[in-house]
Amino acid sequence: MKLVMTRADTYTSHGHRAENHQTVRIGATRDGRLTAIDHTLTQQASRTDELVLSGSEPSRILYTCANVRTTHRAVRLDMPTANFVRSPETSANHALESALDELAYELDMDPVELRTRNWSSTNQESGQEHGSNHLRECYRRGAERFGWSRRDPRPGSMRDRD
């Protein structure tokens, strides 16, 4: 059996990751200790379902920070309901990590050092130990393997061609 669809049919025949807009604001001390994270995520939703999949959980639990606020908003549109497309936190985590890169640049601090300095062994929301937390070790090993210390830290300086 073979199924052939027009391009227009593909927009309504299966799930999709909902588009979203995110704003991340971060406060930190001069030595790179996080003092505040404010993460607002606005996501499209269908008119018939309240499914909001892109969660900002990483902003709430990943790094040591006493003041964290996350806000999720849904904008109802005439579109099909979103569906699972791998990890729903991926785009929210990308927004957080991009903001941390910008913070590191502003503080003239190595981005890996910033993350290591704010690493947490516990879930910041529940206070429970992470079941498996090798993130700090991953930072160290990744930096070694990629030659991180030899990079040019200026943003955009490591581009290869276009």
Side-chain angles (χ1 to χ4, degrees):
M1 176 181 265
K2 182 177 181 179
L3 173 66
V4 178
M5 293 187 279
T6 66
R7 183 168 175 87
D9 289 340
T10 65
Y11 292 115
T12 58
S13 62
H14 55 79
H16 66 282
R17 182 185 298 270
E19 289 185 33
N20 63 69
H21 178 269
Q22 298 180 54
T23 304
V24 180
R25 298 184 310 162
I26 297 179
T29 61
R30 282 268 159 225
D31 69 347
R33 303 280 178 192
L34 296 178
T35 58
I37 299 173
D38 184 6
H39 190 161
T40 301
L41 188 145
T42 304
Q43 179 181 320
Q44 70 184 32
S46 72
R47 295 213 184 268
T48 59
D49 201 343
E50 296 197 16
L51 187 64
V52 177
L53 295 172
S54 295
S56 55
E57 183 180 35
S59 295
R60 295 192 313 270
I61 71 170
L62 193 56
Y63 296 105
T64 299
C65 185
N67 304 294
V68 178
R69 177 175 64 182
T70 60
T71 306
H72 293 182
R73 295 186 287 205
V75 177
R76 294 197 178 278
L77 301 171
D78 293 323
M79 296 190 67
T81 299
N83 205 339
F84 292 96
V85 181
R86 297 195 177 182
S87 172
E89 295 85 14
T90 302
S91 61
N93 196 54
H94 178 74
L96 171 64
E97 296 299 330
S98 295
L100 288 173
D101 283 346
E102 292 177 17
L103 174 63
Y105 179 76
E106 289 297 321
L107 294 174
D108 194 28
M109 177 180 281
D110 180 85
V112 174
E113 172 59 27
L114 176 67
R115 287 162 174 83
T116 303
R117 189 165 290 184
N118 291 287
W119 173 84
S120 177
S121 64
T122 60
N123 177 317
Q124 295 298 288
E125 205 168 40
S126 70
Q128 294 179 331
E129 289 283 323
H130 289 297
S132 171
N133 192 347
H134 303 284
L135 189 55
R136 190 166 44 184
E137 177 65 12
C138 286
Y139 289 147
R140 187 188 65 72
R141 289 178 70 188
E144 284 174 8
R145 290 185 179 189
F146 288 108
W148 187 254
S149 63
R150 296 183 308 276
R151 84 194 193 296
D152 182 341
R154 293 174 299 142
S157 64
M158 302 294 287
R159 291 188 178 159
D160 183 9
R161 288 166 272 170
D162 292 333

Coordinates of all heavy atoms in Angstrom, one line a residue, residues 34 37 39 55-70 89 93 96-97 118-133 135:
L34 N 24.0 32.8 39.3 CA 22.7 33.2 38.9 C 21.9 33.7 40.1 O 21.9 33.0 41.1 CB 22.0 32.0 38.2 CG 22.6 31.5 36.9 CD1 21.8 30.3 36.4 CD2 22.7 32.6 35.9
I37 N 16.1 34.0 37.1 CA 15.7 33.6 35.7 C 14.2 33.9 35.6 O 13.4 33.4 36.4 CB 16.0 32.1 35.5 CG1 17.5 31.7 35.7 CG2 15.5 31.6 34.1 CD1 17.8 30.2 35.7
H39 N 11.6 33.3 32.5 CA 11.4 32.6 31.2 C 9.9 32.6 30.8 O 9.1 32.0 31.5 CB 11.9 31.2 31.3 CG 12.1 30.5 30.0 ND1 12.8 29.4 29.8 CD2 11.5 30.7 28.8 CE1 12.8 29.0 28.6 NE2 12.0 29.8 27.9
G55 N 7.7 22.8 27.4 CA 7.8 23.3 28.8 C 9.1 23.9 29.1 O 10.1 23.6 28.5
S56 N 9.1 24.9 30.0 CA 10.3 25.5 30.4 C 10.9 24.9 31.7 O 11.5 25.5 32.5 CB 10.1 27.0 30.6 OG 9.0 27.2 31.5
E57 N 10.7 23.6 31.8 CA 11.2 22.9 33.0 C 12.7 23.0 33.2 O 13.1 23.2 34.3 CB 10.8 21.4 32.9 CG 11.2 20.6 34.1 CD 10.9 19.1 34.0 OE1 10.9 18.6 32.8 OE2 10.5 18.6 35.0
P58 N 13.5 23.0 32.2 CA 15.0 23.2 32.4 C 15.3 24.5 33.1 O 16.2 24.5 34.0 CB 15.6 23.2 31.0 CG 14.6 22.4 30.2 CD 13.3 22.7 30.7
S59 N 14.5 25.6 32.9 CA 14.8 26.8 33.5 C 14.5 26.7 35.0 O 15.0 27.5 35.8 CB 14.0 27.9 32.9 OG 14.4 28.2 31.6
R60 N 13.5 25.9 35.4 CA 13.1 25.8 36.8 C 14.0 24.8 37.6 O 14.0 24.9 38.8 CB 11.7 25.3 36.9 CG 10.7 26.3 36.3 CD 9.2 26.0 36.7 NE 8.9 24.6 36.5 CZ 8.4 24.1 35.3 NH1 8.2 24.8 34.3 NH2 8.0 22.8 35.3
I61 N 14.6 23.8 37.0 CA 15.2 22.8 37.7 C 16.7 22.6 37.5 O 17.4 22.0 38.3 CB 14.5 21.4 37.5 CG1 14.8 20.9 36.1 CG2 13.1 21.5 37.8 CD1 14.4 19.4 35.9
L62 N 17.3 23.1 36.4 CA 18.6 22.7 36.0 C 19.8 23.3 36.8 O 20.7 22.7 37.2 CB 18.8 22.9 34.5 CG 20.0 22.3 33.9 CD1 20.0 20.8 34.1 CD2 20.0 22.6 32.4
Y63 N 19.7 24.7 37.0 CA 20.8 25.4 37.6 C 20.4 25.9 38.9 O 19.2 26.2 39.2 CB 21.2 26.5 36.7 CG 21.8 26.1 35.3 CD1 21.0 26.1 34.2 CD2 23.1 25.5 35.3 CE1 21.6 25.7 33.0 CE2 23.6 25.0 34.1 CZ 22.8 25.1 32.9 OH 23.3 24.7 31.7
T64 N 21.4 26.1 39.8 CA 21.1 26.7 41.1 C 20.8 28.2 40.9 O 21.6 29.0 40.4 CB 22.4 26.6 42.0 OG1 22.7 25.2 42.2 CG2 22.2 27.2 43.4
C65 N 19.6 28.5 41.3 CA 19.1 29.9 41.2 C 17.9 30.1 42.2 O 16.9 29.3 42.0 CB 18.7 30.3 39.8 SG 18.2 32.0 39.6
A66 N 18.0 31.0 43.1 CA 17.0 31.2 44.1 C 15.7 31.8 43.6 O 14.6 31.6 44.1 CB 17.5 32.1 45.2
N67 N 15.7 32.6 42.5 CA 14.6 33.3 42.0 C 14.3 32.9 40.6 O 14.9 33.4 39.7 CB 14.8 34.8 42.1 CG 15.1 35.2 43.5 OD1 14.3 35.1 44.4 ND2 16.4 35.6 43.7
V68 N 13.3 32.0 40.4 CA 13.0 31.6 39.1 C 11.5 31.7 38.8 O 10.7 31.3 39.7 CB 13.4 30.1 38.9 CG1 13.0 29.6 37.5 CG2 14.9 29.9 39.1
R69 N 11.1 32.3 37.7 CA 9.7 32.4 37.3 C 9.6 31.9 35.9 O 10.4 32.4 35.0 CB 9.2 33.8 37.4 CG 7.8 34.0 37.0 CD 7.2 35.3 37.2 NE 7.9 36.3 36.3 CZ 7.7 37.6 36.3 NH1 6.8 38.1 37.1 NH2 8.4 38.4 35.6
T70 N 8.7 31.0 35.6 CA 8.4 30.6 34.3 C 6.9 30.9 34.0 O 6.1 30.7 34.9 CB 8.7 29.1 34.0 OG1 7.9 28.3 34.9 CG2 10.2 28.8 34.2
E89 N 10.8 19.8 25.7 CA 11.6 20.8 26.3 C 12.8 21.3 25.5 O 13.5 22.3 25.9 CB 12.2 20.3 27.7 CG 11.1 20.0 28.7 CD 10.6 18.6 28.5 OE1 11.2 17.8 27.8 OE2 9.5 18.3 29.1
N93 N 14.9 24.6 26.4 CA 16.3 24.5 26.8 C 17.3 25.3 25.9 O 18.2 25.9 26.4 CB 16.7 23.0 26.9 CG 17.9 22.8 27.7 OD1 18.0 23.2 28.9 ND2 18.9 22.1 27.2
L96 N 17.2 28.9 27.0 CA 17.9 29.1 28.3 C 19.4 29.1 28.0 O 20.1 30.0 28.5 CB 17.5 28.0 29.3 CG 18.4 28.0 30.6 CD1 18.2 29.2 31.4 CD2 18.0 26.7 31.4
E97 N 19.9 28.1 27.3 CA 21.3 27.9 27.1 C 21.8 29.1 26.2 O 23.0 29.5 26.4 CB 21.6 26.6 26.5 CG 21.3 25.4 27.3 CD 22.1 25.4 28.7 OE1 23.2 25.9 28.7 OE2 21.5 24.9 29.6
N118 N 27.2 27.2 38.2 CA 25.7 27.2 38.6 C 25.1 25.8 38.6 O 23.9 25.6 38.8 CB 24.9 28.2 37.8 CG 25.3 29.6 38.1 OD1 25.0 30.1 39.1 ND2 26.1 30.2 37.2
W119 N 26.0 24.8 38.4 CA 25.5 23.4 38.4 C 24.9 23.0 39.7 O 25.2 23.5 40.8 CB 26.8 22.5 38.1 CG 26.5 21.0 38.2 CD1 26.0 20.2 37.2 CD2 26.7 20.2 39.3 NE1 25.9 18.9 37.7 CE2 26.3 18.9 39.0 CE3 27.1 20.4 40.6 CZ2 26.4 17.8 39.8 CZ3 27.2 19.3 41.5 CH2 26.8 18.0 41.1
S120 N 23.9 22.2 39.6 CA 23.1 21.8 40.8 C 23.0 20.2 40.8 O 22.6 19.7 39.8 CB 21.8 22.4 40.9 OG 21.1 21.9 42.0
S121 N 23.2 19.6 41.9 CA 23.0 18.2 42.1 C 21.5 17.8 42.4 O 21.2 16.7 42.4 CB 23.9 17.6 43.1 OG 23.6 18.2 44.4
T122 N 20.7 18.9 42.6 CA 19.3 18.6 43.0 C 18.4 19.4 42.1 O 18.7 20.4 41.4 CB 19.0 19.2 44.4 OG1 19.3 20.6 44.5 CG2 19.9 18.4 45.5
N123 N 17.2 18.8 42.0 CA 16.1 19.5 41.2 C 15.7 20.7 42.0 O 15.3 20.6 43.2 CB 14.9 18.5 41.2 CG 13.7 19.0 40.5 OD1 13.3 20.2 40.7 ND2 13.1 18.2 39.7
Q124 N 15.9 21.9 41.4 CA 15.7 23.1 42.1 C 14.2 23.4 42.5 O 14.0 24.1 43.4 CB 16.2 24.3 41.3 CG 17.7 24.3 41.1 CD 18.4 24.4 42.4 OE1 18.5 25.4 43.0 NE2 19.0 23.3 42.8
E125 N 13.3 22.7 41.9 CA 11.9 22.8 42.2 C 11.5 21.9 43.4 O 10.8 22.4 44.3 CB 11.1 22.5 41.0 CG 9.7 23.1 40.9 CD 9.1 23.0 39.5 OE1 9.2 21.9 38.9 OE2 8.5 24.0 39.1
S126 N 11.9 20.7 43.3 CA 11.5 19.7 44.4 C 12.5 19.5 45.5 O 12.1 19.0 46.6 CB 11.2 18.3 43.7 OG 12.5 17.8 43.3
G127 N 13.7 19.9 45.3 CA 14.8 19.7 46.3 C 15.3 18.3 46.3 O 16.3 18.0 47.0
Q128 N 14.8 17.4 45.4 CA 15.3 16.0 45.4 C 16.6 15.9 44.5 O 16.8 16.7 43.6 CB 14.3 15.1 44.7 CG 13.0 14.9 45.6 CD 12.0 14.0 44.9 OE1 11.9 13.9 43.7 NE2 11.2 13.4 45.7
E129 N 17.4 15.0 44.9 CA 18.6 14.7 44.1 C 18.2 14.3 42.7 O 17.3 13.5 42.6 CB 19.5 13.6 44.8 CG 20.1 14.0 46.1 CD 21.4 14.9 45.8 OE1 22.1 14.6 44.9 OE2 21.6 15.8 46.7
H130 N 19.0 14.7 41.7 CA 18.7 14.2 40.3 C 19.1 12.7 40.3 O 20.1 12.3 40.9 CB 19.6 15.0 39.3 CG 19.2 16.4 39.1 ND1 18.0 16.7 38.6 CD2 19.9 17.5 39.3 CE1 17.9 18.0 38.5 NE2 19.0 18.6 38.9
G131 N 18.3 12.0 39.7 CA 18.5 10.5 39.6 C 19.8 10.2 38.9 O 20.5 9.3 39.3
S132 N 20.1 10.9 37.9 CA 21.4 10.7 37.2 C 21.9 12.1 36.8 O 21.2 12.7 36.0 CB 21.2 9.8 36.0 OG 22.3 9.8 35.2
N133 N 23.0 12.5 37.4 CA 23.5 13.8 37.1 C 24.9 13.8 36.8 O 25.8 13.9 37.7 CB 23.2 14.8 38.3 CG 23.3 16.2 37.9 OD1 23.9 16.5 36.9 ND2 22.9 17.1 38.7
L135 N 26.1 15.9 34.4 CA 26.2 17.1 33.5 C 27.6 17.8 33.7 O 28.2 18.2 32.7 CB 25.1 18.1 33.8 CG 24.9 19.2 32.9 CD1 24.8 18.8 31.4 CD2 23.7 20.0 33.3

